[in-house]
Amino acid sequence: MPKLKDANVLIIKEYPNRYISISSLLLSLGIKPYRMVNLNDPIEAVKRTFHQRFDVLICDQNYRDNQLKAADIIAQLRAAKVIDQGTVIVMDCRAEVCKDYSYYLADIPLHPESNQRDVTDRLRTEYERKNKVWPLLNRTPSQSEQDMEKRYQFFEQHYPEWQYDLTLSRGHYYLLNQQTKYATELYGALIKQNAKKDLTLEICYFLNALALNGQQKEALALHTKFASGKRKLGQPLTEMGAMLQLAHGHLVDAYQLLSFSQQRYGMNLTQRTGLALIGIAVGKYDQALELFSNNLMCAKQLNQDVAQHMLNYLFALVMSWSVNQDASALYQKKFAQLSQQLSSSRLSESQSVQYALLNVHADCLLAKGYRASTESLLISFDSLNSNTSQSCQLHALYISALFAKESTFNRLRKEISQRKIVYMFDPLAALNGELVKQLGWKHFCSAMAGVMPVTSQYPRYA
């Protein structure tokens, strides 16, 4: 195991040394100055090319007056393999301790009352734990169930002080393999045995496993009990509640819960996308447009996935346009502006299909013929379904309803909603799958009722 004094440290702090002197903290641990990379701008951290993995990340909970969340920066750094699950994350948290999603990514949250000695001790402990626990409990694709069971038994015998990590890893392993009954038992044991003041994540894992085990009614009742209890739990519990409401078909309740979550905690890119998708389903098109606009602005700042966020924005734009013909000139102008920008972007195959669907929708609103057969486009989408964005999946169903292709609609809807995706590990995909499961043919036809399909004006395209 590499020693802490040899660790590579990435520091991303807009306002250095707000609570604790980071430099003196690291020097007291023996970490060499030349192994520290110190940045004040989170955008520079995302855009910069690093040639090493960092063992410790020290960051803020949010940046640029809450426009960017730590979760956004961490996601990009992980995608670039700058950090991984073995990296210790030390997060400088807000004075009022807002327990948003980013807060729960921190191994060591720094508060105003934190003192340097305690933080130093925790950093040593966390560094040792992650360097031993993560390599042993992290599964590689080539390992079988028997291999993992042997590894778990070895870990149980040799590292009794870290049994919490073992139980949690086993719970995740069972949940990802859809052995939900075993996962529920393990998460339940963590809640009973753990003396932590904040059990937000453990409770969410338990409720998620319970719901996937077919006990959605019980999960919702327990969520209500936990949410109204004395413990002050964080944002993941609110969002888990929205997912459970969605699973019961209560779309408006789910939207209201997520809106409350946004007002109280703020949201990162992924969370805003999820809220916008439900907003479109319940007819809150202007709110969805605003959410996607915020995401597009953040994506441009990060210079990451700009084309996809532009496509998401255009989806909300054509949906708003469909129900508000009075402002059609404004929507048409905005659509044309973004389309021109997209035409110079390098789109993936799935993004090209999404862009084609958007153009079909826009042409329909302009009473123009369209460039390709809609049915062939939807067949192309069908073959790319697993790689398409959630906004594209939802839009394809609206297009199916617009052109009265119920057989195509049913095929697409089944493909989107049948996969069991764990909310706690892939929240956006799980939320969209559950959302689609609750929406039938009548819902999409009703939403598209005021739009004249091109096929009725141009029969040769039928």
Side-chain angles (χ1 to χ4, degrees), residues 114-127:
S114 301
N115 65 70
Q116 187 164 316
R117 178 175 292 180
D118 289 343
V119 174
T120 302
D121 291 342
R122 285 195 65 186
L123 188 48
R124 285 197 185 96
T125 303
E126 283 297 310
Y127 183 80

Side-chain angles (χ1 to χ4, degrees), residues 285-342:
Y285 302 125
D286 290 343
Q287 289 89 331
L289 200 60
E290 183 180 352
L291 290 162
F292 281 140
S293 176
N294 290 337
N295 274 5
L296 180 56
M297 180 180 65
C298 289
K300 285 179 176 178
Q301 288 181 10
L302 294 168
N303 195 28
Q304 298 288 332
D305 304 319
V306 175
Q308 184 56 61
H309 288 289
M310 202 174 290
L311 289 166
N312 292 350
Y313 179 86
L314 285 175
F315 172 39
L317 184 70
V318 294
M319 293 302 294
S320 294
W321 188 357
S322 298
V323 298
N324 189 3
Q325 288 294 317
D326 292 338
S328 60
L330 178 63
Y331 289 124
Q332 182 183 351
K333 182 180 179 182
K334 190 65 178 176
F335 189 92
Q337 287 174 346
L338 290 180
S339 291
Q340 188 175 7
Q341 293 178 41
L342 271 172

Side-chain angles (χ1 to χ4, degrees), residues 156-293:
E156 188 173 15
Q157 293 171 8
H158 291 84
Y159 300 104
E161 69 273 29
W162 290 320
Q163 293 305 296
Y164 171 88
D165 298 279
L166 175 62
T167 305
L168 187 64
S169 180
R170 267 183 161 156
H172 292 349
Y173 175 76
Y174 287 134
L175 195 59
L176 289 169
N177 285 278
Q178 297 186 13
Q179 295 174 279
T180 51
K181 183 176 181 297
Y182 296 124
T184 305
E185 291 172 357
L186 288 167
Y187 293 138
L190 283 180
I191 294 171
K192 290 178 182 177
Q193 297 170 8
N194 205 322
K196 284 167 52 178
K197 291 182 180 179
D198 190 342
L199 290 168
T200 297
L201 291 183
E202 289 83 356
I203 290 170
C204 287
Y205 291 137
F206 175 74
L207 294 175
N208 198 168
L210 203 63
L212 289 174
N213 196 43
Q215 297 171 275
Q216 294 177 346
K217 186 177 179 181
E218 292 87 343
L220 186 56
L222 279 171
H223 176 272
T224 303
K225 181 179 178 181
F226 284 121
S228 58
K230 293 181 179 179
R231 289 180 182 268
K232 291 185 178 180
L233 303 176
Q235 187 177 28
L237 186 72
T238 305
E239 304 211 334
M240 190 70 237
M243 184 66 181
L244 293 171
Q245 291 286 4
L246 200 60
H248 280 75
H250 305 154
L251 272 66
V252 174
D253 291 339
Y255 181 79
Q256 289 175 345
L257 260 180
L258 289 178
S259 296
F260 167 77
S261 177
Q262 182 194 27
Q263 292 167 10
R264 183 172 181 179
Y265 302 101
M267 285 186 163
N268 58 45
L269 284 158
T270 302
Q271 291 169 316
R272 283 195 293 267
T273 300
L275 177 56
L277 292 177
I278 299 180
I280 287 172
V282 298
K284 305 284 188 182
Y285 302 125
D286 290 343
Q287 289 89 331
L289 200 60
E290 183 180 352
L291 290 162
F292 281 140
S293 176

